[in-house]
Amino acid sequence: MTVFDSPDYADHERVVFCRDSGAGLKAIVALHDTTLGPAAGGCRMWPYASTEQALSDVLRLSEAMTDKNALAGLALGGGTAVIIGDPATDKSPALLRAFARQVQGLAGAYYTAEDIGIGLADVERIAADTDYVFGLASKGAGSSDPSPFTARGGLHGIRAAAKHKLGSDDLAGLRVAVQGVGNVGRQLCRLLQEAGAKLVICDIDERAAAAAAKEFNAEIVGTDEIYDQAVEIFAPCAMGGVINDATIDRLRARIVAGLANNQLAAPRHGAMLFERGILYAPDFVVNAGGMHNASCDIFGDYDKQRVIDKIDRIYDLTLEIFRRADEAGRPPHEVAIDMAKRIIRDAKERREEQAR
Ligand code: NAD
């Protein structure tokens, strides 16, 4: 199979396969669309079962980054990197440096950051060998860990969804199931608890689940049981693809709104949620807070209050997407993708006009 034949290939501009056998590096960097600016998105390290699986992930993640950055109003395109390997056993300083050299070789076409399996300490190491990282307090213009900012935007998205679906954005007393209590899941739990929500959580990492349960007075359920919970809101905050043929009919939630990237296994699952009357807040809209914060490093203009003001607009943007979706009788994620494509098309037209 070539990249062009992959079902997830969506006119990506560039897909780079990176290998450094000495350092044990096998990585793929995908630049989906750079109309609005250099491609920017995290680097994920995961023990993919096959190269096809890694390719599918990087193609889908980078495409979603294009939509996320466009709707966030950022002068950035969409890109993502994946490193094939188990972060617990395969990650080494040599591997991270080899990856950094590959990023440097792209000469600013792609900026990298943390994602699952690659933490801030890893990004620090990567930053020693490339200029093209963001989301690092030590390297950038003042940004720091993106997770609290992502969670802040996520809470706005959840509130907007509650307002639209349940008639009020007051979360007090609502039951929310949070899948995954890692960096962003934990931060979201904190905000939800402060807002008075009752939490049901799960995590494959039992210690993380136990710690979060204690901290947020949450009920722990099994990682498979999370789909069956009698909750108003299901908030996926772990891996993508969790809204799929096997899970969709188990959901009892009236809203799906969480921070994980690519929650829909395929776009048709967004349509299935819509048909079942479950409101889906598109992940790439509500989880853009971290990008708002970290991307300032790329532009060198960090201003925390301005970042927060932009993140707080996620509430209105999410409501606007729901309004347009209702008007058109279409699933919100389709409407949001169309809005992002429109922004990119307009930018292309303006550029062509200027070139004339
Ligand atoms: P993380 O690795 O810190 O946390 C993920 C957590 O999910 C871990 O605790 C892990 O044990 C758990 N997990 C994995 N598989 C699970 C499963 N099947 N069921 C339950 N728990 C499971 O990663 P993170 O930074 O919190 O990111 C989580 C998701 O949010 C990812 O999809 C990421 O792409 C997305 N995201 C993160 C940010 C950010 O600012 N960190 C921004 C935007 C999107």
Side-chain angles (χ1 to χ4, degrees):
M1 185 183 72
T2 71
V3 172
F4 296 131
D5 303 322
S6 165
D8 298 304
Y9 174 73
D11 283 338
H12 288 68
E13 287 176 12
R14 206 185 324 178
V15 181
V16 185
F17 289 76
C18 312
R19 179 78 174 131
D20 184 322
S21 51
L25 177 76
K26 244 186 178 179
I28 312 175
V29 182
L31 281 61
H32 175 250
D33 189 296
T34 59
T35 305
L36 300 176
C43 172
R44 175 171 294 188
M45 184 166 186
W46 191 253
Y48 295 100
S50 64
T51 306
E52 282 75 20
Q53 218 183 66
L55 179 63
S56 165
D57 208 26
V58 77
L59 292 176
R60 293 197 66 209
L61 286 167
S62 56
E63 186 183 1
M65 285 309 300
T66 296
D67 295 335
K68 184 187 305 194
N69 290 339
L71 280 174
L74 297 168
L76 291 172
T80 297
V82 297
I83 297 177
I84 301 170
D86 186 339
T89 50
D90 300 332
K91 197 159 54 183
S92 67
L95 178 139
L96 294 172
R97 297 193 70 169
F99 173 69
R101 288 193 296 273
Q102 295 283 352
V103 173
Q104 187 67 11
L106 293 170
Y110 166 65
Y111 283 73
T112 198
E114 69 166 335
D115 196 78
I116 291 177
I118 295 291
L120 285 177
D122 302 323
V123 185
E124 287 281 2
R125 283 187 188 275
I126 292 168
D129 288 274
T130 178
D131 304 319
Y132 306 112
V133 299
F134 64 102
L136 260 196
S138 63
K139 182 91 174 177
S143 83
S144 53
D145 180 6
S147 304
F149 297 90
T150 305
R152 183 183 180 103
L155 188 77
H156 281 303
I158 289 173
R159 279 195 192 281
K163 171 94 182 151
H164 190 79
K165 186 74 183 172
L166 310 173
S168 164
D169 63 8
D170 183 358
L171 304 180
L174 294 189
R175 279 170 57 87
V176 185
V178 180
Q179 181 184 45
V181 285
N183 288 323
V184 286
R186 223 174 32 242
Q187 298 285 348
L188 182 66
C189 284
R190 177 166 298 118
L191 299 179
L192 287 167
Q193 191 200 31
E194 284 167 11
K198 298 203 177 331
L199 302 179
V200 183
I201 61 163
C202 78
D203 199 296
I204 50 169
D205 180 342
E206 287 177 12
R207 277 174 42 192
K214 192 167 167 209
E215 190 175 354
F216 308 117
N217 193 25
E219 180 191 344
I220 304 181
V221 296
T223 50
D224 190 48
E225 292 164 343
I226 196 82
Y227 302 104
D228 308 315
Q229 298 305 305
V231 293
E232 280 83 19
I233 299 163
F234 175 46
C237 293
M239 297 303 284
V242 295
I243 307 296
N244 56 45
D245 292 332
T247 60
I248 215 157
D249 284 325
R250 293 170 58 186
L251 295 179
R252 296 164 72 189
R254 300 177 68 193
I255 291 167
V256 175
L259 300 171
N261 279 312
N262 287 348
Q263 291 164 33
L264 305 175
R268 71 186 168 81
H269 295 106
M272 287 167 74
L273 287 175
F274 181 67
E275 283 158 16
R276 285 156 177 74
I278 300 172
L279 183 66
Y280 174 57
D283 46 22
F284 55 87
V285 176
V286 306
N287 72 10
M291 272 311 285
H292 276 298
N293 181 61
S295 63
C296 296
D297 293 347
I298 297 172
F299 306 113
D301 61 351
Y302 192 70
D303 176 337
K304 190 169 178 185
Q305 192 51 51
R306 201 174 58 210
V307 166
I308 286 174
D309 291 347
K310 284 184 182 174
I311 292 172
D312 290 351
R313 281 185 226 139
I314 288 177
Y315 181 89
D316 287 336
L317 175 62
T318 312
L319 275 181
E320 173 66 11
I321 289 164
F322 293 149
R323 192 188 60 73
R324 291 191 193 194
D326 278 358
E327 256 176 34
R330 296 176 63 209
H333 75 288
E334 290 181 6
V335 170
I337 290 169
D338 283 356
M339 286 166 72
K341 285 196 191 318
R342 178 73 201 242
I343 291 167
I344 293 165
R345 204 169 54 236
D346 287 353
K348 271 190 180 137
E349 280 171 13
R350 272 197 307 277
R351 209 161 60 185
E352 279 160 19
E353 193 117 311
Q354 279 163 5
R356 265 187 233 127

